[in-house]
Amino acid sequence: MTAKLINGTEIREEILKEIEAEVKEIKEKHGKVPGLVTILVGENPASVSYVTLKIQTAHRLGFHEVQDSQPGDISEEALLALIDKYNKDDAINGILVQLPLPKHIDEKKVINAIDPDKDVDGFHPVNVGRLMIGGSELKFPPCTPAGIQELIVRTGVETSGAEVVVVGRSNIVGKPIANMMLQKGKGANSTVTLVHTGTKDLEGHCKRADILIVAAGVPGLVKPEWIKPGACVIDVGVNRVGEKISEKTGKKVAILRGDVDFDAAKEIAGSITPVPGGVGPMTITMLMKNTLKSLKVKLGIA
Ligand code: GUN
């Protein structure tokens, strides 16, 4: 392997330790800890497991964590009233409504009901606007793009003036990370190209990338010969391509593959994220960072 492996699990630990230390300091000086409510509607197994991880991480960091599980048939009106309650709750700095929601609930209405200053997911249109403006306007970068930027910065990859190519135009990853990388400032100031399913010459664009960020959800979409030698490759794809029996637990587990052919790409790239263990561990970490930031803003110490 020639590329440096960007180890998301190790970088997550580094950041969590920093957050833990900051939480302790703020508690000593101000007598406050970040408050996060996780609202889970129904029992979607993937959502249950994500929310469980979020709760465990918040506890580990010494946050005030409120776990609010609601039945799958809760009315939209009742869910909106619940959000309003947490909007007004002084001990809560971050409100997380786990998505997707059941079909009878309008997700947009729910996201729009969250106080933008407690929207630690960064999904509210006000926070999307703040991200677009950038600089001191930015409050809560969405968690996966924020994690990608941290990985790039902590790997020591130069972003200023770099050609960044983003593959995929989702609202959660592609559009926000493209916007974040073109802003002035640390870990950004790049020349950004966003490519998508309508792009004519995907290969040609990818070949020019100093930093290639792939969030298309298509296993093995990016071929090794599309990678510029020495480029930084961030693979956001988490595609289930089959099942296997885990050697550790003896239980069935999903076989995950990224959007990049990792085994071949690692011989060409300068640095690369694995799947799993690259971008994945960063998302919850950045949710915690946003919740801490929300408290710091409130205390006037951000
Ligand atoms: N479901 C899958 N990912 C996410 C996320 O980042 N935030 C929320 N709220 N729901 C999700």
Side-chain angles (χ1 to χ4, degrees):
M1 170 154 173
T2 57
K4 175 183 165 71
L5 187 76
I6 305 176
N7 188 329
T9 310
E10 272 178 25
I11 295 175
R12 167 182 63 188
E13 278 311 301
E14 216 176 280
I15 299 172
L16 288 180
K17 283 198 184 114
E18 291 166 10
I19 298 174
E20 211 169 355
E22 225 183 319
V23 170
K24 254 192 196 160
E25 198 186 316
I26 293 173
K27 191 177 177 183
E28 279 165 19
K29 278 194 189 153
H30 300 272
K32 303 260 186 223
V33 295
L36 175 69
V37 59
T38 46
I39 302 175
L40 174 65
V41 178
E43 288 168 1
N44 174 323
S47 293
V48 171
S49 92
Y50 280 132
V51 166
T52 305
L53 264 176
K54 288 171 188 177
I55 294 165
Q56 284 170 351
T57 311
H59 281 155
R60 168 188 160 177
L61 297 175
F63 284 19
H64 164 58
E65 215 290 328
V66 178
Q67 184 183 350
D68 195 330
S69 295
Q70 295 293 328
D73 62 357
I74 185 176
S75 69
E76 186 179 280
E77 198 186 358
L79 183 59
L80 294 174
L82 194 66
I83 290 168
D84 190 48
K85 182 184 93 168
Y86 290 117
N87 280 342
K88 292 174 178 149
D89 185 338
D90 237 21
I92 296 297
N93 306 104
I95 300 172
L96 183 289
V97 181
Q98 187 64 28
L99 304 175
L101 290 168
K103 287 202 169 53
H104 68 279
I105 298 176
D106 182 346
E107 257 176 32
K108 264 194 219 160
K109 260 195 200 169
V110 170
I111 291 170
N112 290 355
I114 298 171
D115 177 350
D117 292 342
K118 294 190 179 187
D119 166 42
V120 284
D121 258 327
F123 292 164
H124 191 289
V126 165
N127 284 316
V128 176
R130 287 169 169 168
L131 174 115
M132 186 93 173
I133 297 166
S136 60
E137 277 295 307
L138 173 65
K139 194 145 196 184
F140 301 123
C143 302
T144 301
I148 292 169
Q149 199 174 31
E150 282 280 353
L151 289 177
I152 295 170
V153 169
R154 287 180 191 244
T155 304
V157 174
E158 180 58 79
T159 59
S160 186
E163 292 281 344
V164 171
V165 175
V166 177
V167 184
R169 55 180 155 187
S170 69
N171 287 331
I172 291 184
V173 184
K175 286 183 201 165
I177 191 63
N179 255 292
M180 288 160 72
M181 296 308 292
L182 63 78
Q183 302 290 346
K184 278 189 180 165
K186 187 176 165 241
N189 206 30
S190 310
T191 302
V192 178
T193 306
L194 196 154
V195 298
H196 46 76
T197 46
T199 298
K200 278 185 189 150
D201 182 14
L202 202 56
E203 176 177 350
H205 286 292
C206 289
K207 278 181 167 167
R208 283 204 314 275
D210 300 312
I211 300 172
L212 182 60
I213 301 169
V214 193
V218 181
L221 172 74
V222 170
K223 308 289 174 269
E225 61 272 21
W226 297 10
I227 295 167
K228 182 174 171 178
C232 170
V233 178
I234 306 287
D235 190 352
V236 192
V238 185
N239 306 291
R240 287 167 188 258
V241 295
E243 284 182 333
K244 63 178 181 184
I245 303 293
S246 160
E247 282 176 23
K248 266 193 207 159
T249 62
K251 285 185 186 165
K252 257 193 202 169
V253 289
I255 300 171
L256 300 177
R257 246 185 100 191
D259 291 349
V260 179
D261 176 353
F262 177 82
D263 287 334
K266 72 184 192 311
E267 304 303 331
I268 302 162
S271 52
I272 187 166
T273 56
V275 175
V279 176
M282 297 299 289
T283 302
I284 293 178
T285 309
M286 301 320 288
L287 177 76
M288 301 300 143
K289 200 163 171 175
N290 277 349
T291 308
L292 171 61
K293 183 174 180 189
S294 180
L295 173 65
K296 284 164 68 179
V297 170
K298 193 172 166 203
L299 294 173
I301 55 169

